[in-house]
Amino acid sequence: MSSTKQPPRESQAEISTTHLRLILRGARRIPSLHRKYLDNLDPQQPLSLANLPVLTPHELSVATGELLRDRGPDDGSVIYVGGGTHARPSMSLLPQGMFVEEIHGSWGALKPGDVLANFFPAGRTFPTHCFYNRLATHAGASALSVGDVQEGQFDRWLDFCAEYGVSVIAAPPDIVGRLLRHVAAGHSVPWLRKLLIGGAFHDPTPQREIAERLPDVEVWQLYGSAEAWMVGHRGPGCAEGVFHLLPHQYAEIDGGRILVTTTGVHRAPPLIRYLIGDRGALADCGCGRPGRVIRVLGRITPAVVYQGRPIRARELVDLALETGEVTAAQVAVVTTEGGDETTGALELRVVLADGVPDDHYTREWIRFQALSGHLALDPRAAEHAEGFQVVVVDRLADDGSGEPPALVVEEAG
């Protein structure tokens, strides 16, 4: 399980039939995947990746649950609960090394002598914080594990970084936003040489704003998902929005959808044509690095970024409905002029059941239940209270489809 050594392949060549059969063998021990790929396990039948069925997030989560309940992985692994609820968790398993060796060898964002301040939160079920620490030490750099900090403490931590030789920051979108506001307010960070963003999600941090505010800082970015983990990378010389695939990941574009296959035969459950949830296209990059390149165009499933991670809007809607005090719900992102759904204020709009009072207690109760019921969110993060409010409405916004969408994006005013 923890071994991530890959068979020698040409850069992003089509996966061979022999290697594909090895990956499929890993499905035999998991009942739901064995049934899914049963027709493709016959050694007498021709086999190609394009003829295999697409693996959905729900199917992968079910297979992960079966593996954990049955006999568990073969050896040490990291259980990643990327979201969902206790009743419907979104889970995956990572090898104990979290592909650090492969990612460092391809990405090269950190060098010996770098000092990394890791601002990714070390909260529950979120291994990205641990990943960046391991990446730093594997690269011969030093890691300062800062984690998430309150808004009022952020400037002090930047002063601490300057005092003790930090040269690199790794941070989720909300922390990057704080950094940009800090610089916009007239502060300087001459000690900062590199900014590492992204992780097991698509981070749409505005590159132009970073370039404007931090023109002398190199920006290095990873792209992936909670289930697929890190899929691609980009560096300072890469075109915006494009990612070079990592050596252990193979990506297809199927009807505009990105499908990911992890080619390591020791990953369990095997990831075969996984529907990562993003739209994309094959692309070129002028940086000169070899290998397949994809451009990420946005989400397929409606999602928002909150507490530094992407959250499916439908999950918040379902959690609101489960309180019994709500008959209908919808997530709304209210943006400022020129903003997008990653930078706006988040509202959980609800229609209350008959007899439920519309008061502060009711709204806060629904808000707490939605946050505490979600496996990836922290209801105790008081500093985020202004960024996520429950709003009582008489009716939900309708897009004309006959059923209110789970997510709407509106401009303030």
Side-chain angles (χ1 to χ4, degrees), residues 151 253 270 300 374 403:
E151 184 80 45
I253 305 299
I300 297 172
H374 197 281
E403 182 178 348

Side-chain angles (χ1 to χ4, degrees), residues 181-216:
R181 291 194 297 272
H182 175 84
V183 175
H187 303 284
S188 63
V189 285
W191 46 270
L192 183 60
R193 295 191 297 105
K194 301 177 187 177
L195 181 62
L196 276 51
I197 61 176
F201 54 90
H202 175 39
D203 180 355
T205 300
Q207 301 286 323
R208 292 183 182 87
E209 186 176 357
I210 296 177
E212 178 185 346
R213 302 293 184 191
L214 302 168
D216 298 322

Side-chain angles (χ1 to χ4, degrees), residues 9-15 49 102-103 105-107 221-224 228-235 238 242-253 258-263 276 280-283 285 287 289-296:
R9 297 187 294 120
E10 291 187 4
S11 179
Q12 288 303 318
E14 182 69 39
I15 301 172
L49 186 64
E102 287 80 1
I103 294 169
S106 297
W107 195 29
Q221 187 173 10
L222 290 172
Y223 161 71
W229 196 233
M230 312 303 183
V231 172
H233 66 91
R234 61 185 302 273
C238 295
V242 304
F243 295 89
H244 299 261
L245 295 179
L246 291 162
H248 62 285
Q249 302 281 29
Y250 182 86
E252 308 165 72
I253 305 299
I258 301 176
L259 305 180
V260 176
T261 299
T262 302
T263 60
I276 198 171
L282 296 178
C285 184
C287 72
R289 295 192 185 205
R292 200 179 184 106
V293 180
I294 59 172
R295 182 179 298 277
V296 180

Side-chain angles (χ1 to χ4, degrees), residues 54 111 119 121 125 135 269 295 328 356 390:
V54 171
K111 307 293 183 184
F119 280 90
T125 75
L135 182 70
R295 182 179 298 277
V356 176
V390 171

Side-chain angles (χ1 to χ4, degrees), residues 1-6 22-27 29-30 33 55 60 64 67 73-75 77-78 80 91-95 98-99 225-231 248-249 260-272 274:
M1 177 73 184
S2 62
S3 173
T4 59
K5 298 296 184 183
Q6 312 301 322
L22 288 174
I23 298 174
L24 283 170
R25 285 179 186 174
R29 61 186 294 189
I30 305 173
L33 293 189
L55 180 66
L60 178 62
T64 303
L67 183 61
D74 291 330
D75 51 26
S77 61
V78 178
Y80 187 0
M91 299 190 300
S92 60
L93 289 169
L94 302 173
M98 292 190 284
F99 298 105
S225 78
E227 298 82 13
W229 196 233
M230 312 303 183
V231 172
H248 62 285
Q249 302 281 29
V260 176
T261 299
T262 302
T263 60
V265 296
H266 297 287
R267 175 160 185 170
L271 208 70
I272 307 171
Y274 175 70

